[in-house]
Amino acid sequence: MSDPRRPVEYPPRVQRWRFADPPVSRRWFWVAVVTGPLATLVLLGAFVSTIVVESRDAPGLLDDTEVVQVVGEECELMTSTVEGLTLSGPPADRARTLRDQNEAVRQMLQEIRALDDLADRDQPLQAWLEDWDRLVEAREAYAEEVAGGREIDLSVPRDDDGNEITERMDGAGLLVCEVPEALVTPEFGDSREV
């Protein structure tokens, strides 16, 4: 009889089908020796490249941290002001509201330009600000027409390729400051014609 305190021994595992290990070529040995360090160098190079690219200024994008912060704050204030102004009433009131919206944009531009060193830190900032100036000028001309009671659409300035500058402005301010729709396609709050 077996002793209950003694652990039960299992028979050793036997493989019924056993084959010899496949031969390893010396070539594979050297491939393994060379591939490891080479892969390490490639990963290190990719890491360094990412750091270098991230530190450069993207030519068509506002990407400097301080610029993005200032532009984002000023743009948010401008957007809320512009969207809070309703275009309604007689032509003179509508024109006044259009000019008030333009003033909100000018205030944003003034606050951004007050930080002199920012324009040098982010390549597209100066061109982006100039596009805003062009949009405000076009809106001023539009306000004059609206004040005179004329029915016209706002003519957004175009770039050298024939695209509206607002496309370029939105692209540069990617997720930082998009041009509010109220500035590009003014909608009047009442049913009266302009």
Side-chain angles (χ1 to χ4, degrees):
M1 197 161 242
S2 68
D3 185 7
R5 289 175 284 159
R6 197 168 141 200
V8 177
E9 291 183 25
Y10 292 97
R13 238 179 133 168
V14 177
Q15 292 183 355
R16 295 190 187 270
W17 303 96
R18 175 146 183 150
F19 298 99
D21 292 331
V24 177
S25 165
R26 291 294 285 169
R27 208 176 333 155
W28 286 113
F29 171 77
W30 287 109
V31 167
V33 167
V34 172
T35 304
L38 187 62
T40 303
L41 286 174
V42 168
L43 287 173
L44 183 62
F47 179 71
V48 169
S49 297
T50 302
I51 291 173
V52 169
V53 168
E54 285 294 319
S55 67
R56 290 187 184 161
D57 187 18
L61 185 66
L62 298 176
D63 60 356
D64 181 83
T65 307
E66 191 175 347
V67 171
V68 166
Q69 181 181 355
V70 171
V71 168
E73 290 170 2
E74 293 301 325
C75 185
E76 188 176 329
L77 178 61
M78 177 274 300
T79 301
S80 66
T81 303
V82 164
E83 290 175 348
L85 296 170
T86 305
L87 293 167
S88 60
D93 291 346
R94 293 176 179 192
R96 188 176 316 107
T97 302
L98 288 168
R99 290 185 180 110
D100 288 344
Q101 290 175 332
N102 291 344
E103 188 55 38
V105 174
R106 283 192 194 97
Q107 185 65 35
M108 175 190 75
L109 298 176
Q110 180 181 351
E111 292 297 323
I112 294 170
R113 285 183 171 126
L115 302 167
D116 296 331
D117 65 325
L118 289 185
D120 298 333
R121 292 174 55 183
D122 210 342
Q123 190 176 3
L125 182 62
Q126 191 59 42
W128 185 75
L129 294 171
E130 289 169 5
D131 282 344
W132 277 102
D133 290 332
R134 289 179 61 197
L135 180 61
V136 169
E137 288 172 17
R139 286 179 48 82
E140 283 296 327
Y142 179 70
E144 286 295 320
E145 296 294 324
V146 169
R150 287 180 279 291
E151 292 184 36
I152 63 166
D153 291 329
L154 173 64
S155 179
V156 176
R158 298 192 175 272
D159 63 15
D160 295 337
D161 296 329
N163 300 318
E164 291 183 348
I165 60 171
T166 52
E167 291 179 29
R168 179 172 61 198
M169 293 162 71
D170 285 345
L174 185 70
L175 302 178
V176 178
C177 184
E178 292 185 6
V179 179
E181 195 63 30
L183 293 177
V184 180
T185 54
E187 292 188 19
F188 299 104
D190 57 20
S191 59
R192 287 192 231 162
E193 294 296 318
V194 177

